[in-house]
Amino acid sequence: MHTLALIFPYAVAFTVPLLAASLGGLFSERSGVVNIGLEGLMVSGSFTCAVVASRMETVLGPGNPGALWMGLGAAVVVGALFSLLHAFASISLKANQVISGTAINMIAGSLTVFLARTMTGSGNVRIVLGFIPSDIPVLSGIPILGPLFFTKTYATTWLMAAVLAVAWFVIYKTPFGLRLRACGEHPQTADAAGINVYRMRYIAVVLSGALAGLAGGIILVTYSGEFNGNVAGLGFLALAALIFGQWKPLGILGATAFFGFAATIANVSQVIPQFSRIPGLLLKAFPYVVTLIALVLFSKSSQAPRASGEPFDQGKR
Amino acid sequence: MSRFKNLFTALAAVVLGLLAGAVFMALSGSNPLAGFYYLFRGGLMNMERIGNTLASATTLVFTGLAVAFSFKTGLFNIGASGQMLMGGLTATAIGLSVQMPRMILLPLIVLAAAAAGALWAAIPGFLKAKFNVHEVVATIMMNWIAYWTVYYTIPAYFKGTFLETESRRIPALASFRVEWLTNIFRGSYINMGVFLALTAVIVIAIILEKTTLGFELKAVGFNRYAAEYAGIHVPKNIVLSMSISGILAGLAGATYYLGYAVNMQIGVVPSAGIDGIAVALLGANSPWGVLASSLFFGILHSGKGFMNAMTKVPPEIGDTIIAIIIYFAATGVLFTRLWERITRKWNKEA
C-alpha cells in the first residue's frame, strides 16, 4: 500500500498527457481519419508551451500559474493549427493518411529543434518552474482514496478529468457525436443523411491536434520542464492506447492508466525492492509486448471505426 | 507516361521542399543562397565528402528499399528502425565475439543481420496476416522492444572501454570498411556496404519486375481480395513481403553500425528508419527511384554539418527540408493534377 501510494502520483502524471493525446486520436479516428501525427503534434505543443511559458515567466515570475496556463493555451492553438496540414492532405486531397501523419511527425521533430536552436542556440527550451503538485483540501484526508487520488495532484490532471467527461458526453450524448461516429463508420450514409463529412472530419482532426498539443504542453509544465525536441514516443503509445482501449473514452482511460503504471514501475524499479529483482529489459518492454498481445486478442472483436483510414469520396458508394 | 508523371511529382516536391527550406533559413536570419551553397558544397566538395555522402546514401538505400518493398504489397513498414537496430545488434555481437578469417566472417555477419531483421519484421507480418493487427502499430511496438533490447544488451555484454553507453570498438577484421576504398575517398565513412546496397537495388528490381513472387506481392498490394480470388495465398505473401523488407533493414543495420560507425551506441533510434519512408516516397517506390533519392538525401545529410559551420543555419534544416519534401510527396495528387492539366493542353495543341 505504501509503495502504491508512493508511485501513484508519478503514474498519474505520466498517464494524463497520454490520455489527452489518445482522446485526440479518438476524435480523429471516430471521424474516419487515422492520425499517426499525434507524436509530432505533441512535440509542437510541447515546444510552443515551452517558448510561451518561459517568456511569460520572465514577465510574471517563475512558476506563475498564469504564465503556465498561457503556455498551455498556446500549445492547444498551435496543435490545432498544425493539424490543419494533416486535415488538408488527408481530407481535401485524399492523400494516404499514414504518410501525411508521418510527414507531420517529421516536420514537427525537425522544425521545432531548428526554431529552438535559432532562438536559444542550444535546441533546448527550458521553463524555470512548472506546476507544483498540491493536496486537495478535505478530500486528501479520506482514507485510502485520499492518498491515492487527492494527494500531490497537478491542476492539469483535474483539467483532463473534465476533458474526459466532456469527450464522453460529446461522443455519446450529442448530435455532433452521433454524426462524428457516423462519418467514421459509413461516410456515404452520413453524407446521404445530409451531414457534411468533410466538415466533420476537419473538425475532428483539428480537435485531435488541439488535444495532442495540450498533451505536449502538459508534459512540459508537469514532469519534464524542458523541451528537447521529442516526447519520447508518447504519441505512438497514445495511438496504441487508442486501439487497446477499443476506440472508447473509458477504455482509453484504462489503457493509458495501464501504460502510465507500467512505465512508472519500470522507471522506479531500481529503488523499490519488490521490482529490483526483475530484469530492466522485461519491465521496459512489458507495455509494448502486452500491447501486441492485446491487439491479437482484440483482433476478432475489433471495434475499429469501419471507415477509419479511408478517404471520403462523395462520388463513390 | 506515368513515369514522367512520377518524376514531375517528385521534382515538384523537392523544389517546394527546398523553397520552404529557403524561407526558414531567411527567417532564422541567414542568406538562403549561401546556406544552400554550403549545404551542397559540404556534401560534394572533395573525395572525402563525396565518400561520406555515399556512405549516408548506403544506409538510406537499404531502409528506403525496405519501406518501398513493403509498400508494393500494401504494407507500411514503419519499423525499419527497429529491424535496423536488431540487425545492427546481431552484427555487433558477432563482430565482437567471433574470430574467423574475414572472407567467412563478413558474409556470416551479413547473413545473421539479414536474418535478425527478417525475424523482427516477420512478427508484425505474421500478426497482420493471421490476426489482421495493423502493421503500423505492431512495427512501432517492435521498434520500442528493439530499442530497449539494445539498451540493455550492449552494456551487459559488449560494454565499451570508456563509456557505458556504447559497445566496444568493432575490430578491423569485422568492419565493412576496407583500406583501398577508404584511401580513394581519403578517410571517409564509405565502406563495402555501398556495393551491397547497389546489389540490393538490382536484386529487388529483378524480384519486383521479373519474378512470379514479385507479381504476386504487387497483386496483393493492388487489391488483396482480387489477388485472393485469383488464387494467390495472401497471408503467405504478407509475411514474405515483411520478411524481405526486414532483411533490407537488417542489412542497413549491419552496414551502418559496422561500416559507417565504429561501434553501437545505446539510447538512439536510428533516423534512417524514418528517412527511409521519405526516400521510398520520393522514389515512387521503385528501386531505381530509391537509389536516386537516397543520393539526394545523402548530400543533405553529409552537407548540413558543413553548412552549420560556415553559416549560422542550424543543421536541423536538412531534416526539415526532408520532412517538408515528404509532406509534398504525400500531397503529390496536387502536382499530378497539374501535370495532367499541362499534358492535356499540350496534347490538344499538338
Side-chain angles (χ1 to χ4, degrees), chain B:
Chain B
M1 212 56 198
S2 87
R3 188 164 291 181
F4 284 116
K5 202 152 76 179
N6 284 342
L7 189 66
F8 177 77
T9 310
L11 284 179
V14 168
V15 168
L16 284 172
L18 291 175
L19 273 178
V23 170
F24 286 119
M25 282 187 204
L27 282 179
S28 76
S30 302
N31 180 356
L33 286 179
F36 279 122
Y37 173 71
Y38 288 116
L39 184 62
F40 284 98
R41 201 162 161 220
L44 298 168
M45 72 179 160
N46 55 34
M47 284 309 268
E48 188 200 344
R49 295 260 171 196
I50 293 175
N52 289 346
T53 297
L54 291 176
S56 297
T58 300
T59 317
L60 293 175
V61 166
F62 281 123
T63 55
L65 281 179
V67 176
F69 193 82
S70 57
F71 252 135
K72 288 279 187 187
T73 318
L75 299 164
F76 192 49
N77 181 7
I78 207 168
S81 337
Q83 292 139 24
M84 192 179 154
L85 278 175
M86 293 316 282
L89 182 64
T90 311
T92 305
I94 295 177
L96 287 177
S97 46
V98 176
Q99 299 276 347
M100 257 186 215
R102 202 170 187 202
M103 292 295 287
I104 308 173
L105 184 59
L106 285 187
L108 176 72
I109 289 176
V110 166
L111 285 179
L119 174 72
W120 218 247
I123 295 171
F126 172 77
L127 294 181
K128 169 86 178 183
K130 179 95 180 150
F131 301 105
N132 205 22
V133 170
H134 203 298
E135 76 278 5
V136 168
V137 179
T139 50
I140 290 170
M141 296 298 118
M142 294 302 284
N143 279 350
W144 286 106
I145 298 171
Y147 173 90
W148 289 113
T149 306
V150 170
Y151 192 92
Y152 283 101
T153 309
I154 293 286
Y157 301 105
F158 308 106
K159 190 163 65 184
T161 328
F162 304 108
L163 283 174
E164 284 266 341
T165 55
E166 58 183 37
S167 74
R168 290 195 301 278
R169 207 185 151 91
I170 301 293
L173 204 65
S175 171
F176 283 92
R177 288 195 200 175
V178 282
E179 206 168 321
W180 62 271
L181 206 55
T182 313
N183 284 341
I184 295 177
F185 290 97
R186 313 212 173 264
S188 87
Y189 309 124
I190 193 167
N191 54 70
M192 295 296 277
V194 81
F195 301 113
L196 210 54
L198 275 177
T199 316
V201 170
I202 297 167
V203 169
I204 294 298
I206 292 173
I207 290 180
L208 284 175
E209 298 305 326
K210 305 280 178 205
T211 65
T212 321
L213 171 68
F215 180 80
E216 288 194 0
L217 291 173
K218 283 189 291 183
V220 173
F222 278 126
N223 189 331
R224 195 181 156 157
Y225 304 102
E228 200 169 358
Y229 189 70
I232 294 173
H233 190 49
V234 174
K236 187 194 86 183
N237 275 285
I238 288 177
V239 177
L240 205 57
S241 171
M242 281 303 280
S243 304
I244 294 176
S245 177
I247 288 176
L248 293 161
L251 292 178
T255 55
Y256 180 80
Y257 292 106
L258 269 59
Y260 188 95
V262 293
N263 60 14
M264 194 168 189
Q265 300 189 329
I266 67 167
V268 186
V269 179
S271 63
I274 296 287
D275 286 346
I277 300 168
V279 169
L281 269 179
L282 196 61
N285 296 325
S286 96
W288 300 104
V290 163
L291 181 64
S293 52
S294 299
L295 288 170
F296 173 67
F297 286 155
I299 294 173
L300 294 187
H301 268 292
S302 64
K304 65 187 180 186
F306 183 67
M307 176 204 64
N308 184 230
M310 302 302 286
T311 64
K312 274 185 298 181
V313 183
E316 280 76 19
I317 191 73
D319 305 312
T320 308
I321 291 173
I322 292 177
I324 294 172
I325 289 175
I326 301 205
Y327 183 76
F328 284 120
T331 54
V333 61
L334 272 183
F335 314 119
T336 315
R337 278 186 208 148
L338 185 68
W339 172 259
E340 276 162 1
R341 189 168 296 175
I342 294 169
T343 47
R344 206 179 300 146
K345 208 172 188 181
W346 190 73
N347 284 339
K348 222 177 266 173
E349 280 167 14

Side-chain angles (χ1 to χ4, degrees), chain A residues 131-210:
Chain A
F131 279 118
I132 297 161
S134 60
D135 298 353
I136 305 288
V138 187
L139 291 178
S140 61
I142 304 173
I144 304 178
L145 288 182
L148 293 185
F149 290 100
F150 300 109
T151 331
K152 285 198 213 156
T153 62
Y154 290 107
T156 46
T157 303
W158 300 108
L159 171 72
M160 270 321 296
V163 169
L164 176 68
V166 171
W168 181 86
F169 184 81
V170 165
I171 288 173
Y172 290 117
K173 300 289 167 194
T174 62
F176 172 83
L178 186 64
R179 286 174 195 150
L180 185 84
R181 287 181 283 143
C183 291
E185 293 295 338
H186 209 300
Q188 263 72 25
T189 312
D191 184 59
I195 299 168
N196 186 339
V197 177
Y198 297 110
R199 211 186 99 210
M200 290 303 290
R201 288 190 170 182
Y202 258 93
I203 295 173
V205 171
V206 169
L207 272 177
S208 81

Side-chain angles (χ1 to χ4, degrees), chain A residues 99-117:
Chain A
I99 295 171
S100 161
T102 307
I104 297 288
N105 287 335
M106 292 183 70
I107 293 176
S110 49
L111 189 58
T112 52
V113 179
F114 173 83
L115 293 174
R117 229 185 258 283

